[in-house]
Amino acid sequence: MTTRPFFSFSALALALGLSAGCASASLPQHVGEVNDIFTARNRRDLAVSVPGEDEDWEKTAAEVPKLLGKPLDADGAVRIALAQNRELRAAFYEIGIARGRFVQAGLPPNPEIDLSVRRPNDPTQPLQLDIGIEYNLSGLLILPLRKGVAEAELAAERLRVAGQVLDMAYTTRAAFYTVQARQQELDLRDRALKAFQAGFAAAEELSRVGNLPDVDLATQRAAVESARVDVAEAENRLLDARETLNVALGLSGEQTRWSIEARLPDPPAEALVFERVEERAVASSFELQELDARMRVASKRAGLARTEGNLPHISGGFHGERDASVWEIGGHVTVGLPIFDRNQGTVLSARSEFGAQRERYLATATALRATVRTAQNRVESTGRRARHYREVVLPAREKALAETVLQYNAMQVSVFQVLDSQRQVTQTGLTYVETLLEYWNARAALDQILAGRHRGLALGPAGAPRTNLPSGGDSAAAGH
Amino acid sequence: MDRRKFVQFGVAAGGALLASQAFGQNAKPGAAPARPSPKRAVFPGGQVAVTTPNGVTLPLKEKDGLKIGHLVAMPVKHTFAPGLEGDCWGYNGRTPGPTIEVVEGDRVRIYVTNKLPEPTTVHWHGVILPNGMDGVSGLNQRPIKTGETFVYEFTFRHPGTYMYHPHFDEMTQMALGMMGMIVVHPKRPKGPPVDRDFVLMTHEWKITPGSRRPDPNEMTDFNVLTFNSKAFPGTEPLVVGRGERVRIRFGNLSAMDHHPIHFHGLTFETTWTDGGEIPAAARHPETTVLVPVGSTRVIEFVPDELGDWAFHCHMTHHVMNQMGHGMPVMVGANARKIDPRVQSLVPSYMTMGQTGMGDMAEMGMPVPKNSIPMGGGPGPFGSIDMGGMFTILKVRESPETADPKGWYTHPKGTQAERAEDALLKADGIDPDATFG
Ligand SMILES: [Cu+2]
């Protein structure tokens, strides 16, 4: 008997029960999973709030307008960024991608039904019907292994995104500090300009009454105009800093009109004591945990490939044929012989991936320890320097100014020298602000490492930031 | 009591004074003596003892025909005027050192103990003596090391007014105040005897406001100018009687400046230099005597106008205390154009000098500690806005009983006052007259 396939189809079995889990895995659930990680680590401040439903994705979290309604502080900025930053939101959706894969990996293979109709050439013969059902048995056997790989991937992905939450919080905090510092810098540059303007006013008046040569007037004038450029530059740096923060906060339009009041806080009076930082950094590192999870993925993948390679491909089925009025029923098993392709290549790849992840783990641990030591040193050094500026250098400069005023009262020095001494106070203020910014950045970096991330930290170059003297130069003192 | 015994009595009294005051350094700065010391005719021919305003005379012991004295070169805490103390060097606890007062022909033995941190010598400036006693370190003697005591012995063969000072590291030691006057009375004085005989050593210093140590490196910018190391208002006034013959012996060991000392209310003649007596025929009347660096000048006068008479160096910067000149001229400037801007940065700032500087002394602005910039002294009609090489000659009817701190009371109609309108009118004076 010759038969010709009339049509065949593969029917999708809609396993409603299995797909139900997929429907509930929305954005809030991904966020919830990451929040759980932070809750377990006692970092509820990093909990991210998102709209309750995927459909509300455009809605702003309720706390954001409240936070924007008053002058921002660093914690508030972090809250806004966590609620509002869309890059972060995108990362949460990426958890959904991994979860989708996990769900997919857990679905059993579908049975295949084969139906064929044949019309014999002999018209007297009745229509011949073949019906068969085929099921991939090895696919079913391998399913727990596949599911294990996807689950490990999901876990790794969760850790990756949790790390991104930390990154977001850190970037926002650093951007906020920069705005504060730039605001303070602008104020101080403005003060320096005022000093030059006062000097110029004095020079102008003395010139008017014939007491000052033109060269001194011109020198004062040049100093004022240079200082004006310094102010403009500082203004631009502030605007840049605001925009960097706007990006982190995910704000645009009207929402970018936020203000800040607070100045960079002074460093704590006593140096902070950080103990066992290396241990703690290693223990909490999302990077290491993620690499660990990736190692598990690679190892599971290797196991899966090996099992797949060694397991003969088995499928079985039942078959019915209706010939005339009689059904003939039988079964069959197909066994693929794992002779040539035993997934050797895939196994090798997976094992190499495992090896690569293991080495990367060790390298990361080494880098992590170095980074945390760097951050700790930076916190201690900048803290010491900032305290020294605040407690020693600034008072010394102020004392020098007060003494200069006394010398002025005693008619030993000119108004220009008084203003010069005042600018030294301002200058020290500028250096203090830069040191303070470095300190808070280092603090944020150290906190970040201890919270679990050591990459992408703006530790910057070591050493005191060098702010230049106001452009007016150090000695525009006329009349001497 | 014969002269010799009197001198011994003076030595004892002087010794007590030394113990309590000179070495102890607890004399009030600028304090005037309650009474002028009585005239003491103790030298041959009725010559009176010299007075060193703000200073003392060196006690001399007599023994075997020698007059024996002791100078101790040492660091000294010195008050130039109230509010300005200096870490100086001097002799026997003071600058200038005690005045050495002897008679022509006296042989002296003077011990010099060095309590300075570096060697020193004493040069007897103007005195003609054996070469080995001249005190030039390296040339005539080896320097007196710290802790050593040298002895100088020689005879004062010539009467006159001389000085003494170190001749080792002269720049430093003199800049820090090491100097003193020497008076050698003649055995047989000529001319009319004097009733009062004063010595005044002029000197100049650089003391940056707020510091204490005079700067020996200064070459031009001296800001403390002194008579006997005192700046007005620290200078003691000289009290004399009307009609008395007064002698003032000036010596100048300033680093760089001669001082034209100008007198008010009298004319005088210069009678001696450090070279000797000027013949009577060569003398001429003056109101200003120039005292060159390294020289002495002696003047004599008889005042006949009662009153408080200023005399001072006529270099205007020499009658200012610690003025600086590191600032532009402010005269004529409008403070309102400057002050608001500067005060927004330095609240205590205030423009000064825009109407001149005469009122500065009275403004009472805070100044560096240990400084007397622009300082003057109080006078009966307000502040005397001079300082430095300035003092007052008080001519009184009864100088022995007059209060040296008291001011002269002007008889009615002998003092400048505000002109009454009626008088202006009567004399055809228009105060609003314009010129040009
Ligand atoms: Cu002078």
Side-chain angles (χ1 to χ4, degrees):
Chain A
M1 184 186 77
T2 58
T3 55
R4 176 170 65 83
F6 184 62
F7 69 88
S8 72
F9 66 90
S10 299
L12 274 178
L14 298 174
L16 292 173
L18 287 169
S19 62
C22 185
S24 72
S26 58
L27 180 63
Q29 189 190 333
H30 315 320
V31 171
E33 285 168 12
V34 173
N35 284 352
D36 288 346
I37 294 175
F38 287 115
T39 306
R41 291 179 170 213
N42 219 0
R43 289 296 304 266
R44 276 170 226 278
D45 58 310
L46 293 167
V48 173
S49 60
V50 289
E53 298 295 333
D54 266 15
E55 293 73 43
D56 295 338
W57 67 271
E58 273 186 300
K59 281 195 186 157
T60 304
E63 62 177 331
V64 171
K66 263 185 251 167
L67 288 165
L68 285 173
K70 53 189 182 187
L72 271 185
D73 60 19
D75 291 341
V78 169
R79 302 279 339 132
I80 294 173
L82 293 183
Q84 186 96 346
N85 186 282
R86 295 313 170 105
E87 286 288 343
L88 190 59
R89 196 80 72 82
F92 281 114
Y93 276 110
E94 281 160 17
I95 295 184
I97 298 173
R99 171 160 290 277
R101 289 203 183 110
F102 168 63
V103 169
Q104 188 61 43
L107 299 178
N110 291 328
E112 286 175 5
I113 293 171
D114 188 58
L115 198 66
S116 63
V117 180
R118 281 171 290 156
R119 166 173 285 284
N121 286 341
D122 179 357
T124 61
Q125 291 291 321
L127 205 65
Q128 297 208 342
L129 286 174
D130 286 351
I131 188 161
I133 183 161
E134 180 87 20
Y135 200 76
N136 180 353
L137 290 170
S138 55
L140 198 61
L141 287 170
I142 217 83
L143 185 127
L145 286 175
R146 281 192 193 286
K147 205 173 162 187
V149 170
E151 190 174 26
E153 264 173 349
L154 174 60
E157 198 61 7
R158 258 193 231 112
L159 289 167
R160 187 180 69 80
V161 174
Q164 252 175 291
V165 170
L166 267 184
D167 285 350
M168 193 70 250
Y170 168 77
T171 309
T172 306
R173 196 169 284 276
F176 185 83
Y177 291 153
T178 306
V179 171
Q180 281 180 306
R182 294 300 149 241
Q183 179 66 58
Q184 278 171 261
E185 187 201 345
L186 177 59
D187 293 347
L188 287 164
R189 296 269 176 210
D190 206 49
R191 209 167 155 75
L193 171 63
K194 282 203 173 73
F196 282 114
Q197 284 171 326
F200 181 58
E204 243 184 343
E205 178 58 13
L206 290 174
S207 164
R208 187 182 67 80
V209 296
N211 299 357
L212 202 74
D214 285 352
V215 59
D216 290 339
L217 183 64
T219 304
Q220 292 287 331
R221 171 81 200 279
V224 170
E225 298 310 329
S226 298
R228 230 189 274 282
V229 176
D230 288 347
V231 171
E233 281 172 3
E235 223 160 35
N236 190 230
R237 279 194 287 274
L238 172 60
L239 292 175
D240 284 354
R242 284 183 68 97
E243 289 313 328
T244 305
L245 185 55
N246 275 333
V247 170
L249 298 179
L251 299 178
S252 56
E254 291 286 305
Q255 289 184 315
T256 59
R257 294 201 184 151
W258 45 266
S259 67
I260 59 166
E261 257 171 24
R263 304 155 61 80
L264 277 172
D266 291 328
E270 294 295 321
L272 300 175
V273 181
F274 297 99
E275 280 171 348
R276 304 183 300 112
V277 284
E278 290 185 42
E279 259 176 81
R280 284 163 62 197
V282 167
S284 58
S285 170
F286 281 109
E287 279 132 333
L288 290 181
Q289 286 174 12
E290 189 193 331
L291 282 168
D292 195 48
R294 300 266 177 229
M295 270 153 71
R296 219 167 314 142
V297 170
S299 128
K300 280 180 190 285
R301 198 170 278 151
L304 170 65
R306 205 181 300 112
T307 309
E308 262 182 334
N310 291 330
L311 189 73
H313 180 81
I314 306 168
S315 57
F318 293 95
H319 186 248
E321 182 179 336
R322 187 176 170 87
D323 197 359
S325 57
V326 187
W327 278 102
E328 296 167 13
I329 296 174
H332 75 271
V333 171
T334 312
V335 178
L337 295 180
I339 297 170
F340 304 112
D341 175 0
R342 294 199 309 278
N343 262 353
Q344 297 95 320
T346 313
V347 170
L348 178 63
S349 294
R351 285 173 124 176
S352 300
E353 198 189 328
F354 178 84
Q357 302 291 17
R358 188 189 55 215
E359 296 309 322
R360 205 153 285 140
Y361 183 95
L362 295 174
T364 303
T366 305
L368 169 61
R369 284 167 186 275
T371 311
V372 75
R373 286 192 301 269
T374 305
Q376 188 183 11
N377 294 340
R378 194 66 58 81
V379 166
E380 282 166 10
S381 167
T382 54
R384 263 198 306 275
R385 267 181 284 143
R387 274 190 294 278
H388 187 71
Y389 271 113
R390 191 167 67 96
E391 290 160 18
V392 183
V393 184
L394 261 176
R397 287 278 183 219
E398 274 160 5
K399 172 78 173 154
L401 171 58
E403 290 295 333
T404 307
V405 171
L406 290 184
Q407 291 287 340
Y408 168 82
N409 290 349
M411 301 207 82
Q412 306 295 312
V413 300
S414 72
V415 60
F416 304 107
Q417 280 154 290
V418 171
L419 290 168
D420 202 45
S421 184
Q422 193 282 325
R423 281 194 299 270
Q424 297 288 336
V425 176
T426 304
Q427 183 55 40
T428 304
L430 280 168
T431 317
Y432 175 56
V433 167
E434 294 303 325
T435 309
L436 209 50
L437 175 60
E438 222 196 326
Y439 171 76
W440 286 111
N441 275 338
R443 270 290 297 276
L446 184 57
D447 290 348
Q448 176 78 347
I449 299 167
L450 294 178
R453 284 289 256 199
H454 86 283
R455 291 239 163 84
L457 302 176
L459 279 176
R466 178 83 189 106
T467 43
N468 294 321
L469 275 174
S471 297
D474 44 356
S475 187
H480 190 53
Chain B
M1 186 182 281
D2 69 9
R3 183 182 66 81
R4 178 158 294 191
K5 283 203 175 126
F6 197 100
V7 169
Q8 279 172 334
F9 173 77
V11 166
L17 188 76
L18 267 185
S20 73
Q21 187 179 347
F23 282 110
Q25 283 301 293
N26 47 12
K28 284 241 170 63
R35 297 266 175 254
S37 37
K39 287 188 277 186
R40 290 184 297 146
V42 293
F43 293 101
Q47 298 178 81
V48 295
V50 295
T51 302
T52 308
N54 300 103
V56 298
T57 301
L58 182 71
L60 295 172
K61 259 188 296 193
E62 292 210 23
K63 186 184 160 195
D64 306 331
L66 276 173
K67 287 186 176 173
I68 300 171
H70 187 195
L71 291 175
V72 181
M74 59 189 284
V76 167
K77 289 216 182 303
H78 175 70
T79 301
F80 290 91
L84 181 63
E85 263 207 2
D87 288 333
C88 301
W89 289 358
Y91 296 98
N92 297 12
R94 57 176 57 249
T95 171
T99 301
I100 297 171
E101 188 178 10
V102 293
V103 179
E104 177 187 355
D106 276 351
R107 186 164 184 80
V108 295
R109 179 181 291 160
I110 302 207
Y111 292 93
V112 177
T113 301
N114 182 9
K115 292 195 172 166
L116 299 173
E118 68 165 349
T120 189
T121 66
V122 179
H123 165 61
W124 317 94
H125 183 116
V127 179
I128 298 170
L129 38 54
N131 184 255
M133 293 294 158
D134 201 41
V136 179
S137 172
L139 178 66
N140 308 121
Q141 67 168 88
R142 70 170 177 83
I144 310 169
K145 288 186 209 143
T146 303
E148 282 186 329
T149 299
F150 268 43
V151 58
Y152 293 85
E153 187 170 324
F154 53 88
T155 302
F156 283 102
R157 292 190 282 133
H158 307 281
T161 303
Y162 309 107
M163 303 182 283
Y164 64 91
H165 64 81
H167 235 302
F168 176 92
D169 192 11
E170 298 80 2
M171 191 180 88
T172 303
Q173 298 193 359
M174 282 197 266
L176 289 180
M178 299 196 64
M179 54 198 57
M181 296 289 289
I182 299 170
V183 173
V184 184
H185 293 282
K187 254 185 196 146
R188 276 175 291 279
K190 291 179 271 184
V194 300
D195 300 291
R196 309 275 169 186
D197 198 341
F198 297 98
V199 291
L200 286 175
M201 169 72 84
T202 61
H203 196 41
E204 61 190 357
W205 321 65
K206 169 59 185 252
I207 307 171
T208 305
S211 73
R212 303 177 53 86
R213 180 81 62 189
D215 178 3
N217 302 318
E218 183 54 57
M219 294 180 77
T220 54
D221 186 13
F222 300 97
N223 61 357
V224 178
L225 281 289
T226 55
F227 284 133
N228 289 344
S229 299
K230 292 282 184 177
F232 185 77
T235 49
E236 264 178 23
L238 277 54
V239 182
V240 303
R242 171 156 69 170
E244 285 184 340
R245 175 162 288 269
V246 181
R247 176 186 291 143
I248 301 179
R249 304 164 188 261
F250 290 103
N252 183 3
L253 286 178
S254 297
M256 301 293 291
D257 285 294
H258 317 309
H259 300 293
I261 309 295
H262 172 66
F263 280 78
H264 297 208
L266 55 91
T267 65
F268 58 79
E269 287 181 345
T270 305
T271 55
W272 289 70
T273 69
D274 30 8
E277 190 166 13
I278 299 171
R283 300 178 189 174
H284 48 270
E286 298 266 24
T287 65
T288 301
V289 56
L290 182 66
V291 189
V293 174
S295 302
T296 66
R297 293 289 182 268
V298 181
I299 63 164
E300 284 180 28
F301 53 85
V302 179
D304 63 359
E305 276 290 343
L306 292 171
D308 296 327
W309 299 106
F311 74 92
H312 56 90
C313 176
H314 215 284
M315 295 199 181
T316 56
H317 284 206
H318 291 190
V319 286
M320 299 303 300
N321 283 329
Q322 286 188 303
M323 283 294 291
H325 45 239
M327 58 284 187
V329 181
M330 299 304 288
V331 178
N334 181 353
R336 273 170 301 176
K337 295 268 178 65
I338 302 172
D339 287 6
R341 281 172 181 275
V342 182
Q343 281 166 357
S344 74
L345 299 158
V346 185
S348 58
Y349 170 86
M350 196 176 109
T351 290
M352 296 184 295
Q354 70 272 28
T355 59
M357 300 180 200
D359 294 335
M360 297 273 163
E362 286 172 284
M363 286 170 65
M365 298 192 57
V367 294
K369 65 181 178 197
N370 198 46
S371 69
I372 48 169
M374 303 168 287
F381 301 100
S383 166
I384 300 167
D385 72 346
M386 282 181 281
M389 209 174 271
F390 176 97
T391 189
I392 299 166
L393 183 77
K394 291 177 177 280
V395 182
R396 298 287 185 266
E397 291 288 6
S398 319
E400 308 296 351
T401 55
D403 175 7
K405 284 182 181 167
W407 299 106
Y408 176 64
T409 315
H410 301 86
K412 202 168 163 48
T414 67
Q415 203 214 310
E417 277 183 52
R418 185 174 178 277
E420 298 292 337
D421 289 348
L423 186 63
L424 288 172
K425 211 167 181 185
D427 288 343
I429 302 296
D430 175 12
D432 299 321
T434 54
F435 302 94

